[in-house]
């Protein structure tokens, strides 16, 4: 495996922890175990570490225009639960759970986390 980790910016680790604990929990991922005094939060996504924290240059974090991280769900219900959990924990919708024509009909949804990072969750998405 070439991918070791993904790191995104966060301006509020408490909000970030709540959002990702809820959304990743809907996909079967364990809650963040990073101690609260650490300057980052981290989850293990099947061997790939997913980290969020403040920008190293001390400036406010911003999101990537055009950047999206896609997560795999094991059912349509898991995609719906992921989307619902995100909305309930400070996220905003970027696409309701439904079959997506741009993904050859795979069932997916999109959210922005509290810092504006864009995420998607799909069931049945074939890439390539």
């Amino acid at each position: 495996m070439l991918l070791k980790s993904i790191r995104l910016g966060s301006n509020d680790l408490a909000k970030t922890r709540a959002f990702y604990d809820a959304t990743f929990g809907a996909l079967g991922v364990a809650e963040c175990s990073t101690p609260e005094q650490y300057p980052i939060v981290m989850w293990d996504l099947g061997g790939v570490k997913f980290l969020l924290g403040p920008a190293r240059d001390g400036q406010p974090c911003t999101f990537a225009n055009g950047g999206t991280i896609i997560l795999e769900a094991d059912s349509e219900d898991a995609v719906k639960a992921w989307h619902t959990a995100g909305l309930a924990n400070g996220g905003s919708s970027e696409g309701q759970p439904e079959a997506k024509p741009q993904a050859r009909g795979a069932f997916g949804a999109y959210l922005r986390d509290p810092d504006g990072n864009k995420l998607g969750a799909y069931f049945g998405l074939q890439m390539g």
Side-chain angles (χ1 to χ4, degrees):
M1 176 184 303
L2 293 176
L3 186 60
K4 184 160 187 84
S5 70
I6 296 171
R7 187 182 192 283
L8 299 175
S10 171
N11 294 306
D12 186 328
L13 289 180
K15 284 183 183 178
T16 294
R17 184 185 293 259
F19 176 87
Y20 283 99
D21 276 348
T23 58
F24 284 160
L27 299 177
V29 176
E31 288 187 353
C32 177
S33 62
T34 308
E36 292 199 21
Q37 67 270 23
Y38 281 31
I40 62 163
V41 288
M42 180 173 61
W43 293 262
D44 186 338
L45 304 183
V48 175
K49 305 299 186 206
F50 189 89
L51 300 91
L52 293 103
R56 295 185 70 109
D57 65 5
Q59 298 299 310
C61 295
T62 59
F63 55 87
N65 185 23
T68 305
I69 295 173
I70 302 295
L71 305 165
E72 185 174 8
D74 62 7
S75 68
E76 290 182 8
D77 285 340
V79 171
K80 292 174 188 176
W82 173 84
H83 193 261
T84 298
L87 295 177
N89 285 276
S92 60
S93 180
E94 283 286 316
Q96 296 295 319
E98 63 188 356
K100 301 291 186 189
Q102 71 270 27
R104 292 176 269 177
F107 193 87
Y110 291 92
L111 289 168
R112 292 227 181 238
D113 74 8
D115 288 291
N117 298 301
K118 189 174 179 184
L119 309 161
Y122 272 91
F123 171 67
L125 179 64
Q126 301 297 315
M127 301 193 72

